[in-house]
Amino acid sequence: MSAKIAEAIEAARKVLSDHGIKSAPVPVDRIIKAKGIALEYAPLEPELSGMAYIKDGIAIIGLNSLHHPNRQRFSAAHELGHHELHADILSSAVHVDRGFQVLLRDDVSSLGISDKEREANAFAAELLMPSEFIAGALEKNGLDIEDDEGVAALAKKFKVSTVAMRYRLSNR
Ligand SMILES: [Zn+2]
């Protein structure tokens, strides 16, 4: 894991503790608003997941209202990651995410996915599926990742897609 990814994960943990979040589902929209970031929803083109920018000193996150709520949550967390980690670039240009892969491995750099996207995704994964909460849930339920129903139940509890949860469980 790169130092930048580790920093992104650490930043997500700090957000959770700053906002006193102790259980799933993590209220990402409430956190965003509490941070004074404007959250806007609009019906965007299907491939547009979200955007992050700063206009006249106001931090803004835009989400695609046509996407599934779980996907909107991941997009919101991803965009919050950009505000937390990459605020310097958001003042000069609107950062638009087009159908970014929610699940990015460290080894996809060859696909032209930037470091900043991977950092924002690592932030989002830790924010929505904190390793501490996941460990607690696994300990309690003794979940096997081959157990489809169990993974689906956990995804529901955390309000994330089952794909995202499965990825999370296999990359701990
Ligand atoms: Zn992004």
Side-chain angles (χ1 to χ4, degrees):
M1 187 189 294
S2 77
K4 285 279 193 186
I5 295 288
E7 273 173 36
I9 292 170
E10 213 36 63
R13 288 178 184 159
K14 184 170 184 309
V15 168
L16 291 168
S17 74
D18 285 353
H19 293 266
I21 311 298
K22 298 203 163 51
S23 61
V26 172
V28 62
D29 48 352
R30 193 166 57 109
I31 292 171
I32 288 169
K33 286 175 194 158
K35 283 189 158 289
I37 299 172
L39 193 51
E40 297 177 347
Y41 298 87
L44 307 172
E45 294 163 47
E47 77 273 16
L48 289 179
S49 298
M51 53 190 77
Y53 55 105
I54 299 171
K55 195 183 173 201
D56 302 330
I58 297 172
I60 299 166
I61 289 175
L63 297 176
N64 191 339
S65 60
L66 301 178
H67 283 173
H68 187 282
N70 287 347
R71 184 164 174 198
Q72 289 185 45
R73 278 169 56 76
F74 198 94
S75 299
H78 175 105
E79 303 304 341
L80 177 60
H82 283 311
H83 277 290
E84 292 287 303
L85 307 167
H86 313 129
D88 51 329
I89 61 162
L90 301 181
S91 296
S92 50
V94 176
H95 178 84
V96 179
D97 282 303
R98 288 178 189 278
F100 61 83
Q101 287 292 310
V102 165
L103 309 167
L104 295 178
R105 293 177 181 278
D106 264 355
D107 58 15
V108 292
S109 50
S110 58
L111 300 177
I113 291 149
S114 81
D115 288 348
K116 288 188 167 52
E117 295 318 304
R118 273 177 291 162
E119 289 158 28
N121 278 340
F123 176 95
E126 181 65 20
L127 190 76
L128 296 179
M129 297 169 281
S131 41
E132 192 188 331
F133 298 3
I134 294 282
L138 293 187
E139 209 168 285
K140 202 168 145 199
N141 304 321
L143 181 68
D144 175 348
I145 121 154
E146 302 297 320
D147 170 8
D148 288 344
E149 279 179 28
V151 173
L154 202 57
K156 197 172 175 190
K157 178 176 160 67
F158 282 74
K159 290 202 175 148
V160 297
S161 71
T162 49
V163 176
M165 181 55 76
R166 189 174 299 286
Y167 182 83
R168 184 67 162 139
L169 293 174
S170 54
N171 290 274
R172 291 190 301 129

